[in-house]
């Protein structure tokens, strides 16, 4: 593959749980562009690279999707130790999965970090990811009981994944470029919970 866009298309088609990649392509840090795409898709990445450039390291590791950075050459035990640490972290993340039925009644796996916001609609909930929208017949209350504390109700009709929260406004929130209404009765609870989660992580 000659360009990050080609690699991104291939990765998105297979939708892997984890990506191992080199950041330098054709003597240029083209992998940084791919990282930005993968971050939007919430796909975790381990970087193995020849580059020791501190600027590239900073740009790569400040993305939420990069969960490991290994510079070549390295000893096999260094790699083994890093992989064990990263995989242990990833296995913990991988347990946070919601299983839903697709449009053809197939069983789909939806990772918590893929789920951006939820909209209640009568007896249904609409689950919104960066690329797709899924509808399930379940109340918001019952759905939130299955999810962890990163998911916070902000309105009678909306809940969000607080890990993706960008800003809290007087009567709305911004999350992944989407503006959602913030109910007055939920505002103080949202601020309190997000502060607790920030301190925890």
């Amino acid at each position: 593959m000659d360009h990050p866009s080609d690699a991104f298309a291939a990765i998105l088609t297979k939708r892997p749980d984890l990506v191992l990649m080199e950041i330098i392509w054709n003597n240029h840090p083209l992998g940084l562009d791919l990282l930005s795409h993968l971050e939007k898709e919430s796909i975790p990445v381990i970087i193995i690279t020849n580059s020791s450039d501190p600027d590239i390291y900073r740009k790569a590791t400040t993305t939420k999707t990069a969960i490991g950075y290994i510079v070549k050459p390295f000893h096999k035990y260094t790699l083994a130790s890093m992989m064990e640490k990263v995989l242990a972290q990833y296995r913990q993340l991988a347990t946070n999965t919601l299983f839903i039925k697709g449009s053809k009644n197939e069983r789909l796996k939806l990772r918590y970090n893929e789920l951006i916001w939820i909209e209640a609609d009568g007896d249904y909930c609409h689950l919104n990811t960066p690329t797709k929208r899924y509808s399930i017949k379940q109340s918001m209350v019952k759905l939130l009981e299955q999810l962890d504390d990163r998911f916070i109700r902000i309105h009678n009709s909306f809940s969000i994944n607080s890990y993706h929260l960008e800003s809290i406004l007087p009567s709305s929130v911004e999350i992944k470029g989407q503006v959602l209404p913030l109910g007055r009765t939920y505002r103080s609870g949202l601020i309190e919970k997000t502060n607790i989660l920030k301190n925890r992580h």
Side-chain angles (χ1 to χ4, degrees):
M1 295 181 186
D2 298 323
H3 195 273
S5 60
D6 298 329
F8 176 63
I11 290 169
L12 196 58
T13 298
K14 295 184 178 181
R15 197 71 193 179
D17 290 328
L18 184 66
V19 172
L20 187 68
M21 64 172 274
E22 166 64 65
I23 205 80
I24 304 297
W25 299 13
N26 299 324
N27 297 318
H28 297 287
L30 299 179
L32 291 175
D33 292 334
L34 179 56
L35 271 179
S36 66
H37 288 301
L38 295 177
E39 183 173 27
K40 294 176 183 177
E41 297 298 324
S42 301
I43 297 176
V45 178
I46 300 173
I47 299 166
I48 296 182
T49 180
N50 285 315
S51 175
S52 58
D53 185 320
D55 190 49
I56 292 176
Y57 172 81
R58 179 185 59 79
K59 290 178 180 177
T61 55
T62 51
T63 63
K64 293 179 181 179
T65 198
I67 62 173
Y69 193 100
I70 307 173
V71 178
K72 297 182 284 188
F74 46 79
H75 193 279
K76 64 179 181 179
Y77 295 131
T78 301
L79 176 61
S81 177
M82 171 62 78
M83 292 296 289
E84 285 176 8
K85 179 180 178 181
V86 169
L87 289 174
Q89 176 187 353
Y90 178 68
R91 279 193 292 269
Q92 178 62 39
L93 292 173
T95 61
N96 298 326
T97 303
L98 181 68
F99 291 94
I100 61 175
K101 289 184 179 180
S103 58
K104 298 180 180 179
N105 212 35
E106 72 276 26
R107 192 167 185 253
L108 301 176
K109 181 176 69 173
L110 183 62
R111 294 191 297 269
Y112 287 3
N113 62 339
E114 292 180 274
L115 182 52
I116 309 300
W117 56 280
I118 306 165
E119 180 181 0
D121 182 12
D123 294 333
Y124 287 81
C125 277
H126 304 299
L127 314 180
N128 296 273
T129 74
T131 57
K132 292 184 179 180
R133 178 180 171 95
Y134 303 93
S135 296
I136 60 172
K137 190 173 183 180
Q138 191 170 36
S139 70
M140 180 77 80
V141 171
K142 291 295 184 181
L143 179 58
L144 290 177
E145 288 176 355
Q146 299 178 53
L147 303 172
D148 62 22
D149 60 2
R150 82 187 72 180
F151 292 92
I152 303 173
R153 196 155 193 171
I154 61 167
H155 187 275
N156 287 341
S157 299
F158 296 94
S159 295
I160 62 169
N161 182 340
S162 61
Y163 287 11
H164 297 292
L165 181 63
E166 294 169 343
S167 62
I168 302 175
L169 304 173
S171 60
S172 62
V173 302
E174 186 173 4
I175 182 166
K176 286 287 187 179
Q178 178 77 32
V179 177
L180 300 176
L182 173 59
R184 285 187 301 172
T185 57
Y186 295 95
R187 180 178 172 79
S188 60
L190 173 64
I191 293 172
E192 180 181 355
K193 287 182 180 179
T194 51
N195 286 335
I196 290 173
L197 289 171
K198 284 180 182 177
N199 292 333
R200 186 184 303 171
H201 298 282

